[in-house]
Amino acid sequence: MQRAVPQEFDRVLSSMCTEPHPAAREAAVRFLATNPGDPATYQSVAELENRAVDALGELTGLPEAHGYVASGGTEANIQAVRATRNRARDEWPDAPETPNVVAPESVHFSFQKAADVLGVELRTVPVDEEYRADLDAVRASLDAETILVVGVAGSTEYGRVDPIPELAALADDTPGDGRTFVHVDAAWGGFALPFTDHAWNFAHADVDTMTIDPHKMGQAVVPAGGFLARERATLDALAVDTPYLESTSQATLTGTRSGAGVAGAAAALETLWPDGYREQFEESMADAEWLADELRAREFDVVDPELPLVAASIPDSLFDALRDAGWRISRTATGELRVVCMPHVTREMLRQFVADVDSFSN
Amino acid sequence: MQRAVPQEFDRVLSSMCTEPHPAAREAAVRFLATNPGDPATYQSVAELENRAVDALGELTGLPEAHGYVASGGTEANIQAVRATRNRARDEWPDAPETPNVVAPESVHFSFQKAADVLGVELRTVPVDEEYRADLDAVRASLDAETILVVGVAGSTEYGRVDPIPELAALADDTPGDGRTFVHVDAAWGGFALPFTDHAWNFAHADVDTMTIDPHKMGQAVVPAGGFLARERATLDALAVDTPYLESTSQATLTGTRSGAGVAGAAAALETLWPDGYREQFEESMADAEWLADELRAREFDVVDPELPLVAASIPDSLFDALRDAGWRISRTATGELRVVCMPHVTREMLRQFVADVDSFSN
């Protein structure tokens, strides 16, 4: 059998994952064979998970955080919807018959998955001309069966941050007697936002749950998503009994989980928060602005980068030529080139990319 | 900060996970930073996943297997129920209003999780005195809204194998016009059963989907569960669009996934199937029989091991003393000691355990 070689990150501009930090990699390798899904049996990794959740809480303005290291942002988003659905069913004066979730159309496709899996209605509403949730559109979609309002803090396509406090205020004013919860999807943006002026976290608004993934800009090892909740009751709404484990209940969506992911997340957070993440953010943001300027100088339409992600309209023929040259690039739903300036993306790599843009444009 | 030390497997008798094979560990480390959730970007790990699925198909009597490497057995079981729910909704002459799933009470607790997540009714029915699905009880539970019958091939508590062909025949005779699907949960047993006389797989009966986890007796690295389907339509029923990825749709429950898990599974299967798994099964089975004999000789009630798992009634005081001595042990729902003879469990370890049983019994 031919031995497979791992994909290098040399030309990957499309991924929201990245080369893990060496400390995360080293910790992951040591914990490869452990299962945080059974914390009573695997106690040292369970302790690391507590430390990772505490660190995520500090990063997101939630000193008493509840949550866990998930398989990724999709699981965390599904779990936010699931917990909310269960809490509305159990806590509202009248359980909603067809609960709905209101989110901007910029929301990640995992919410489509959550809606299918969980049997809730997903109402996506337009974004404004700056690609952020349109508050009027959100307001118009809310009704007495709206259980959850979702805001995106660092959107997948444009890296934009929705007005989270305003969304939380709208949720608070939802018609009907039931409490409407607020979820922030900061899966990608969460490790950059602490170094910006955005209002996005638990301290800035009445946010109930959040997705924030160590294995994206947190430089942890896959799989390490983050699910955080303000209240213990939210985790309790997810728990099922575990008859044969040493532990007695489980709030995660998966069962057996990756000790490597948990240990890598704890190590990355302890190594990089806050200074290492700040330095990386400043470097990546400068790279994104540099790339945006270079593309603008070539008269491409560029979406102004708010976080380290550049979207630009380029001709299809150029896109195809770049991909044929080995660049791993992707498009937004409306067809723009999308470059995510993750930690593995260096200025030199972007210089080569721009040089290829020039050579294929002639 | 104090450096955490990984949990050793020295005294772990309760886990269905194990020390991975060195080839699996080595492959996992090489692929730590890849994401099979985006196969077009991470092509080499996507190719490894295809090879792992083909190998799992060979092992389970399904030459043209559809499926993927999941985060674990819980995800695979949830996905089986989800695909079936969606197919019944879309393909039955009349979509069932309140679809139900019939399973023996020995079924893994992930089916409780699936029922909560997916909004289906789980009907658990008694097992017979040999801890296998009671066919009369299953038959009595089937009705015109039964979308799925589940059989367990290697139960979590006793390692027993349900009569899969008979369960499939009952599913085929379900009242009503809709097709009732059949799922086999071989998460733990699947890597032992090929070396037994049991009828359990796709070739033995009209099975639609199966859970079979490389990261349990397959000696792969966590996270590596296995979800297999006979028909492409089952995977299609799980797919959601993925607007911004290079790939265009995704049938998994999670989004970003572990390249380490996929690469480890492929490496373990290529290294160990079939001879390595056969040798391990024979050794573990002999260990289980040895332990059962030793416990019987001490006049404990022992459930005859059918796969490498021993359950025995021992006094609570003895159970507590063994646990206090550092043995990682767990109990069945009815209180028996449960010892899973995984590859890391050696005869020498069991001798020490029996010596402790003796010393704490006096």
Side-chain angles (χ1 to χ4, degrees):
Chain A
M1 162 196 139
Q2 198 194 332
R3 180 160 159 163
V5 176
Q7 182 79 29
E8 299 292 340
F9 280 98
D10 285 9
R11 298 198 149 208
V12 174
L13 300 178
S14 59
S15 185
M16 288 189 153
C17 293
T18 194
E19 184 63 36
H21 188 276
R25 180 183 278 275
E26 193 263 346
V29 170
R30 282 192 294 128
F31 282 83
L32 266 185
T34 60
N35 173 16
D38 186 6
T41 298
Y42 298 95
Q43 289 167 335
S44 59
V45 75
E47 169 55 27
L48 286 181
E49 181 158 30
N50 292 339
R51 298 210 311 241
V53 169
D54 287 347
L56 288 172
E58 189 181 323
L59 198 151
T60 60
L62 189 65
E64 307 267 315
H66 303 280
Y68 69 93
V69 177
S71 58
T74 294
E75 176 180 344
N77 286 335
I78 292 173
Q79 291 282 79
V81 179
R82 179 180 167 216
T84 304
R85 182 199 64 179
N86 290 2
R87 291 194 66 177
R89 179 191 65 204
D90 299 339
E91 299 173 16
W92 280 23
D94 298 299
E97 292 233 341
T98 51
N100 69 73
V101 172
V102 173
E105 64 188 8
S106 56
V107 85
H108 186 258
F109 68 83
S110 51
F111 284 89
Q112 304 286 356
K113 210 181 264 192
D116 173 63
V117 167
L118 298 164
V120 303
E121 181 196 351
L122 177 63
R123 295 183 177 171
T124 55
V125 304
V127 293
D128 63 21
E129 58 193 11
E130 291 297 321
Y131 305 99
R132 298 187 193 98
D134 183 299
L135 294 171
D136 290 333
V138 169
R139 185 184 296 108
S141 289
L142 301 172
D143 66 22
E145 297 206 315
T146 301
I147 58 170
L148 183 67
V149 172
V150 178
V152 185
S155 63
T156 308
E157 294 202 322
Y158 300 105
R160 290 303 170 94
V161 183
D162 287 331
I164 304 299
E166 291 79 359
L167 288 172
L170 288 181
D172 209 34
D173 287 340
T174 300
D177 298 328
R179 166 177 169 192
T180 298
F181 292 75
V182 177
H183 176 71
V184 172
D185 184 356
W188 176 73
F191 284 83
L193 287 161
F195 315 110
T196 70
D197 293 333
H198 290 285
W200 66 286
N201 74 22
F202 290 98
H204 301 136
D206 197 5
V207 171
D208 293 291
T209 52
M210 184 180 289
T211 295
I212 173 168
D213 288 354
H215 72 203
K216 292 190 172 86
M217 279 200 281
Q219 300 179 53
V221 170
V222 174
F227 174 67
L228 296 179
R230 188 185 291 274
E231 297 171 339
R232 176 77 216 177
T234 299
L235 276 196
D236 290 344
L238 297 167
V240 297
D241 293 340
T242 55
Y244 67 87
L245 296 184
E246 288 195 86
S247 337
T248 58
S249 85
Q250 195 174 77
T252 56
L253 185 59
T254 62
T256 295
R257 294 188 292 135
S258 166
V262 168
L269 279 156
E270 281 164 9
T271 305
L272 294 168
W273 169 254
D275 295 342
Y277 289 130
R278 179 187 291 108
E279 285 162 25
Q280 184 61 57
F281 167 70
E282 288 170 356
E283 186 179 320
S284 295
M285 196 65 222
D287 286 343
E289 283 162 356
W290 178 87
L291 177 64
D293 288 344
E294 292 292 319
L295 293 173
R296 260 193 225 100
R298 285 156 181 81
E299 301 192 349
F300 297 117
D301 259 353
V302 176
V303 179
D304 203 34
E306 196 165 276
L307 289 173
L309 191 161
V310 180
S313 297
I314 65 171
D316 284 351
S317 57
L318 176 55
F319 185 92
D320 292 342
L322 289 164
R323 195 177 261 189
D324 289 347
W327 292 101
R328 314 302 321 170
I329 48 181
S330 68
R331 298 173 194 263
T332 66
T334 50
E336 291 116 327
L337 164 74
R338 178 177 157 274
V339 172
V340 192
C341 294
M342 295 300 291
H344 68 268
V345 176
T346 61
R347 184 69 62 94
E348 180 50 32
M349 193 169 155
L350 293 174
R351 283 190 205 285
Q352 289 172 23
F353 179 71
V354 170
D356 277 359
V357 166
D358 286 338
S359 75
F360 299 133
S361 298
N362 295 326
Chain B
M1 160 198 141
Q2 198 193 335
R3 179 160 161 164
V5 176
Q7 182 79 31
E8 299 292 340
F9 279 98
D10 285 8
R11 298 200 147 205
V12 175
L13 299 178
S14 59
S15 184
M16 286 186 153
C17 293
T18 194
E19 184 62 36
H21 189 275
R25 179 183 279 275
E26 192 264 344
V29 170
R30 282 192 294 130
F31 282 83
L32 265 184
T34 60
N35 173 15
D38 186 5
T41 299
Y42 298 95
Q43 290 166 334
S44 58
V45 75
E47 170 55 26
L48 285 181
E49 182 158 30
N50 292 339
R51 298 212 309 241
V53 169
D54 287 347
L56 288 173
E58 190 182 323
L59 197 151
T60 60
L62 190 66
E64 307 267 314
H66 303 280
Y68 68 93
V69 177
S71 58
T74 293
E75 176 179 344
N77 285 335
I78 291 174
Q79 291 282 81
V81 178
R82 179 181 168 217
T84 304
R85 182 200 65 179
N86 290 3
R87 291 194 66 177
R89 179 191 67 205
D90 299 339
E91 298 174 17
W92 280 23
D94 298 299
E97 293 233 339
T98 50
N100 69 73
V101 172
V102 173
E105 63 187 8
S106 55
V107 83
H108 186 258
F109 67 83
S110 52
F111 283 89
Q112 304 285 355
K113 208 181 266 191
D116 174 63
V117 167
L118 298 164
V120 301
E121 181 197 350
L122 177 64
R123 296 183 177 172
T124 55
V125 302
V127 293
D128 64 20
E129 59 193 11
E130 290 298 320
Y131 305 99
R132 300 187 192 98
D134 183 299
L135 294 170
D136 290 333
V138 169
R139 185 184 296 110
S141 290
L142 301 172
D143 66 21
E145 297 205 317
T146 302
I147 59 171
L148 184 65
V149 172
V150 178
V152 185
S155 63
T156 308
E157 294 203 321
Y158 300 104
R160 290 301 170 95
V161 183
D162 288 332
I164 304 300
E166 291 79 0
L167 288 172
L170 288 180
D172 208 35
D173 286 342
T174 300
D177 297 329
R179 167 178 168 193
T180 299
F181 292 75
V182 176
H183 176 70
V184 171
D185 183 355
W188 175 72
F191 284 83
L193 286 161
F195 315 110
T196 70
D197 292 334
H198 290 285
W200 65 287
N201 74 22
F202 289 97
H204 301 136
D206 197 5
V207 171
D208 294 290
T209 52
M210 184 180 290
T211 296
I212 173 169
D213 288 355
H215 72 201
K216 292 192 171 86
M217 278 199 281
Q219 300 180 51
V221 170
V222 174
F227 175 65
L228 296 179
R230 188 185 292 273
E231 297 172 337
R232 175 79 216 174
T234 299
L235 277 196
D236 290 345
L238 297 167
V240 299
D241 293 341
T242 55
Y244 68 87
L245 296 184
E246 288 195 86
S247 337
T248 57
S249 84
Q250 195 174 78
T252 56
L253 185 59
T254 63
T256 295
R257 294 187 292 134
S258 166
V262 168
L269 278 156
E270 282 164 9
T271 305
L272 292 168
W273 169 255
D275 295 342
Y277 290 130
R278 180 186 291 110
E279 286 162 24
Q280 184 61 57
F281 167 71
E282 287 169 356
E283 185 179 320
S284 295
M285 196 65 222
D287 286 344
E289 282 162 357
W290 179 86
L291 177 63
D293 288 343
E294 293 291 321
L295 294 173
R296 261 193 224 101
R298 285 155 181 82
E299 299 190 351
F300 298 118
D301 259 353
V302 176
V303 179
D304 203 33
E306 194 164 276
L307 289 173
L309 193 162
V310 180
S313 297
I314 64 171
D316 286 351
S317 56
L318 175 56
F319 186 92
D320 292 343
L322 290 164
R323 194 177 261 187
D324 289 346
W327 293 102
R328 314 301 323 170
I329 48 180
S330 67
R331 298 174 196 261
T332 66
T334 49
E336 289 115 329
L337 163 74
R338 180 178 156 270
V339 172
V340 192
C341 294
M342 295 299 291
H344 68 267
V345 176
T346 60
R347 183 69 61 95
E348 181 50 31
M349 194 170 155
L350 293 175
R351 282 190 205 283
Q352 288 172 23
F353 179 71
V354 170
D356 276 0
V357 167
D358 286 338
S359 74
F360 299 133
S361 298
N362 296 325

